Amino acid sequence: QVQLVESGGGSVQAGGSLRLSCAVSGFTIGSNCMGWFRQAPGKEREGVATINTRAGSTSYADSVKGRFTISQDRAKNTVWLQMSSLKPEDTAMYYCALDGGLCFGSPTLNEGPYNYWGQGTQVTVSS
């Protein structure tokens, strides 16, 4: 059974930093797309940052470029999201996701191909 478990969320003031972790079990990360998505109250879920775990290529939403960094450790079956210069508009539930199929080229920010999801971790940024 594939499980994705997120951790690292919390409450911070604007300008602060958080590091989210996503630990994968029941699946060995190889040539896959993985990513972080978020959903704020009343809004649709959106792609934040994704990574091709074989090639290391990444994709970022325009709203987080230069502030968020996605990284991985395949040996630990873990993906991280380092978030800096946080803004109140970053407040959301953050979800880790895995596409169990092969990942080619730049990983998509569209959630369609991602078929495994974590339960989410809340990030709240106060002004």
Side-chain angles (χ1 to χ4, degrees):
Q1 181 180 1
V2 180
Q3 287 190 318
L4 281 66
V5 179
E6 303 99 334
S7 62
S11 297
V12 296
Q13 290 192 329
S17 299
L18 283 172
R19 189 190 194 206
L20 306 183
S21 296
C22 174
V24 181
S25 61
F27 186 97
T28 301
I29 298 173
S31 298
N32 303 103
C33 291
M34 287 198 67
W36 290 93
F37 295 74
R38 67 186 181 187
Q39 187 168 22
K43 295 188 177 181
E44 292 188 353
R45 189 159 57 187
E46 63 174 348
V48 175
T50 55
I51 187 167
N52 179 322
T53 60
R54 173 71 67 180
S57 52
T58 56
S59 299
Y60 292 94
D62 288 343
S63 60
V64 307
K65 283 180 181 176
R67 300 189 298 120
F68 290 11
T69 303
I70 188 170
S71 60
Q72 60 162 336
D73 185 332
R74 282 194 293 162
K76 295 182 179 179
N77 246 24
T78 300
V79 172
W80 293 276
L81 183 68
Q82 177 67 48
M83 305 185 295
S84 302
S85 302
L86 283 162
K87 304 175 181 180
E89 51 263 45
D90 294 318
T91 295
M93 184 72 76
Y94 283 71
Y95 298 91
C96 178
L98 164 68
D99 175 1
L102 292 177
C103 186
F104 299 98
S106 296
T108 181
L109 289 168
N110 294 319
E111 66 175 71
Y114 296 88
N115 49 348
Y116 297 105
W117 292 81
Q119 294 298 307
T121 185
Q122 178 68 37
V123 172
T124 302
V125 185
S126 58
S127 57

